[in-house]
Amino acid sequence: MGSSSSSYAPKTIYLDVDGKVQKVIFSRHCSPCDIRELLCSSSNIPRNTAIMLVDPEGALVSIDPTMPANSPRNLYKVMPLCSGQLGEKEDMFHNVLSQVADQFSRAFRINELKTEVTNRLAMLEKRVELEGLKVVEIENCKKDLKKLRDEMTTRTGGRVSCTCKYNFSDDETIEALKKPTFDVWHWEHNEMLSCLEYMYHDLGLVKEFNMNPITLKRWLLGIQENYRSNPFHNFRHCFCVSQMMYGMIHLCNLQEKLTLTDMGILMTAAVCHDLDHPGYNNTYQINARTELAVRYNDISPLENHHCAVAFQIISLPECNIFANVELEVFKQIRQAIITLILATDMARHGEILDSFKQKVDNFDFTNEEHVRCLKMVLIKCCDISNEVRPTEVAEPWVDCLLEEYFLQSDREKAEGLPVAPFMDRDKVTKPTAQIGFIKFVLIPMFETVMKLFPQELKQIDDAMTEVPRNSSSSVLLCPRMSPVTRLQRGDVSRCGLTPIPHLPRRPSHLLGPDFYSSPHT
């Protein structure tokens, strides 16, 4: 990934074949053996004949992908070598190699297998594309049915006696996906991919940007494949941040305040915000003078890299979810996504938060600069939102982050680089790692956002402190005080556990999770 299209450009040479110009085109990645066979075929010379290539002045030209190109006025000529020009060992080697190749091809029916595999892949791709188009139709039908059911409930005073067996129980999972109480640890990669796909359909982004549903699936697969297996900065963290962004959109009623384009920018930036994270932060990149630090002049090297990888994936035709967007609109979307991903560099935290604080008391949703600043703050909130989740969801993330910190500090010690105290396994503890971050970063950030959405974000407290009627299947959470309330009061202890309902584990309502584990993708 990341190779420029020019590296795959074919090479063209021109031959003199019996007084006629013969044009020969081959890939720069062909082997010399492949090129020799192509030259033999073009010059009507038997296959596997030893040949040499000469220019008009009789000079020998190397037969390999790096050979100099010529023009129709400066023709090369292919000449067979007489048997006396080859040593006996070379002659024998070519003959044996030719026989082995022919026998291998006959024995394993290579050409037939290639044709069969190509045909089967084409059939599978067509089938997947047709099934992908059904996803949109089925989701629209489900929404129409739900709307009809709600209308019937309203007209009959809430009493519906319907004999149909359509299952609406999956609404529980759909609603859970919109809340910060969602347990991100219960999901496998293909299930998380299906959840992300559902979010794009549910928010209307697939329709707004005229996305091909199969392209959306391929894009999400490309995203997942480009997150590394770090303890913290991995695909599950990507999903965690994206799910929180989806939840914030619903909790804060952003559909009524922002455009669909803005929501597409928020979701896509969240999905891409840590692509190909190497597990070592910007401080290490700069101190170690890594390739990324040199490339980006020590200016947010990781965040610039995440942006670059994101748009390398989108540049692939099979993964371009914005392929049907007008060029000028795409330029605006691209610039906005870059702005949001660069905003996740914690070195810019104070600058961004101060800018938002100056606007929040007189915030204007019709002001582009105000909205741009809000989007930057929203992605920052989602990126550091682990501590506003239930205890059993938030706690494992602390262990993951410390493990990644310790791996970095161990490497810094081995390389003689400066080590941050909060990353040193010999100095840091879980309480000290959390308290400073929560007190000086998390609380000021969420308090400022709650000024803009006081009633909406109060729902987080209500959702967190909900008491179940049946606690037989439950997880644990601090009583009477949600994570947001604990942050406001500066209480970072985690004690006094009370059960709340366990969230559904599998996305049984989502369509196509098997797509993400199928070999044909």
Side-chain angles (χ1 to χ4, degrees), residues 39 67 83 94 105 109 149-150 152 194 205 244 256 262 266 297 315 354 362 373 390 395 440 451 477 482 507:
L39 294 177
M67 71 170 67
S83 58
H94 284 293
S105 181
R109 300 163 57 198
R149 180 174 181 269
D150 292 340
M152 291 175 63
S194 290
L205 303 180
M244 182 60 77
E256 299 177 6
D262 286 328
L266 284 168
N297 304 310
S315 71
D354 288 344
N362 299 294
C373 193
E395 200 71 25
F440 297 109
K451 288 183 179 180
L477 181 66
S482 76

Side-chain angles (χ1 to χ4, degrees), residues 31 41 92 105 111 115 164 169 179 213 217 227 286 301 309 327 330 372 377 403 443 448-449 500:
S31 66
S41 300
M92 183 183 299
S105 181
N111 292 332
T115 302
C164 70
S169 62
K179 297 177 181 179
K217 289 176 180 286
Y227 273 92
I286 294 169
V309 175
L327 181 59
F330 173 72
R372 186 182 74 90
V377 170
E403 182 182 351
I443 293 175
T448 306
V449 175
I500 65 168

